[in-house]
Each structure stands twice: as structure tokens, then as C-alpha cells.
Amino acid sequence: MTDTPRRLLIVNPNGNPEVTARTQACADRILGPGCNGFAVQPAGSPHAIETPADRALAEPLALALLAQHPGYDAYVMACFDDIAIAPARAFLKAPILDAVEASVAAARSLAQRFSIVTTVEAMVPGIEALVAQLGAASQCSIRAAGIGVAAAAAGEPEALRRLDATIARARDQDGAQAIILGSGGLTGHAARLSQRHGLPVIDGIEAAIRRAEAASRNPAEVP
């Protein structure tokens, strides 16, 4: 008799199916046979979450989607933000993980100094606040590549060029010894970028999925 595989629900809070597909591909690649990940997105959510207004619209939709899917062994919010995390922890009976906390923990295990590279400048203040809450502000620089989430998810050549240039500046000007990709739209690029730039590149969504998988085995180890 075989054990039933553990299940992760991975919520992309924006309404972009390309981001959801990238998230599903990431889960399929990294999860073993004992754990299955299911990437979903809310109906009616903004195509990208890049402003406070986008977040205000997306968060209740993400929470409603979580409430409709009880019984999973762990949950992931596949967005580089703490959107829906605190209220979801109030009603979910299993751990829910976010990309910021998971990727910062991974970066701290690899480097003394690291940089988060995100998409648009409007994301920077919120990420700065989250990094400060984690006590990592002195170790971490934050740069926006000036690309939209949708352009990043689509792998548009100009978006990839700007991403490369921003990582190079973080490495050469900020002294970053590791890079965190700070957007769900950047999921799937970490291995290529690590090889290209010669330093560890952490996919924030991948880090959250890995941490959720560990939490599904031992919930007491993570929040």
C-alpha cells in the first residue's frame, strides 16, 4: 500500500495565465513523487499586481480562492509580496508560505550580501518594508529592472535584456553575492541567469514551493 501524495495549492494572485503556467512548470520540476503542486489563479484578478490598487483588488480574490480549497497540506502565495498571507494564516489549517520570506532565508544561507531584482519601481517600497521586517535590510539591495510583469512572464527580449543588465549592476555595484528574482513573472529564469552571471540566482517562487513542501512534511518547522 502506497502513501497518498501530499498536496500543495499554489495561488498566483494575479490574472495572468502565463505566470500561472510558469508556476505550475516550476512545481512539476522540483516536487518529487510524494508531493503534488497545483497552481491556480483567481477569476477577475488584475493581469499584474504592480500598484496598491492592483493589490487591493487582488487580495480578497486570492483569499476567497484559498477559502474554497481547504484540506491541502500546505499553501504557497506565488507573488513577491505578503499579499493575503496574514489573513490566510488566521483560517487555514495548514502552513501558507510567501516568496519573500522563503527566498530571503535561502539567500542568507548562501551569501553575506544579496540583491532582490524585481520588475517595476513601484514594487520597491513594499519589498523594502518586507525585507526590513525580516531583519535583512543591511544585507540586501533592491533594484527594479523597469519591466512589466507580463513582459517578464512572456520572456520578451527587451525585458530579458533589462533583467540581465540589472543583475549585472547589482553584482558589480552593490556587491551582491546572490540574486533573488522578485516577481512571479520571473519564475523559470534562475538557472540560466545563474550560469550567465556567475553567482547563485534564487527563484522566489521556487524557494516558496520548496519551503512549502518541507512544511507539508513537518508543519512545526515553518510558520
Side-chain angles (χ1 to χ4, degrees):
M1 182 175 178
T2 58
D3 292 334
T4 301
R6 287 165 283 115
R7 300 186 307 151
L8 309 182
L9 188 74
I10 307 164
V11 176
N12 165 29
N14 71 44
N16 187 336
E18 179 66 32
V19 175
T20 304
R22 284 186 170 274
T23 300
Q24 184 66 62
C26 177
D28 292 344
R29 177 173 52 84
I30 66 176
L31 293 175
C35 188
N36 296 326
F38 303 92
V40 296
Q41 67 187 60
S45 198
H47 199 63
I49 302 172
E50 297 175 340
T51 68
D54 294 333
R55 178 185 170 122
L57 179 58
E59 185 164 38
L61 296 174
L63 286 168
L65 187 58
L66 288 167
Q68 292 162 12
H69 290 81
Y72 282 76
D73 297 288
Y75 298 80
V76 173
M77 191 56 57
C79 174
F80 206 80
D81 199 342
D82 65 347
I83 186 169
I85 295 295
R89 284 177 177 163
F91 68 82
L92 289 176
K93 298 185 182 300
I96 178 167
L97 289 302
D98 72 273
V100 182
E101 189 172 1
S103 59
V104 166
R108 285 172 131 174
S109 74
L110 295 171
Q112 289 297 311
R113 286 200 55 78
F114 54 94
S115 183
I116 296 170
V117 173
T118 190
T119 50
V120 296
E121 195 67 37
M123 297 298 297
V124 172
I127 294 173
E128 286 177 337
L130 293 171
V131 169
Q133 289 174 22
L134 294 171
S138 64
Q139 296 175 266
C140 179
S141 66
I142 302 164
R143 288 180 175 265
I147 56 178
V149 173
E156 294 180 5
E158 177 60 16
L160 297 181
R161 186 195 67 77
R162 291 187 179 191
L163 179 61
D164 272 324
T166 306
I167 290 173
R169 286 193 293 273
R171 180 194 61 204
D172 299 339
Q173 298 176 21
D174 302 346
Q177 300 159 324
I179 300 292
I180 294 171
L181 299 180
S183 170
L186 298 175
T187 299
H189 292 289
R192 175 185 65 81
L193 292 168
S194 180
Q195 184 175 26
R196 181 177 180 85
H197 293 280
L199 76 176
V201 177
I202 299 162
D203 183 324
I205 306 306
E206 179 178 329
I209 293 172
R210 290 188 183 280
R211 201 171 189 207
E213 193 278 330
S216 75
R217 285 184 277 110
N218 190 352
E221 289 188 358
V222 295

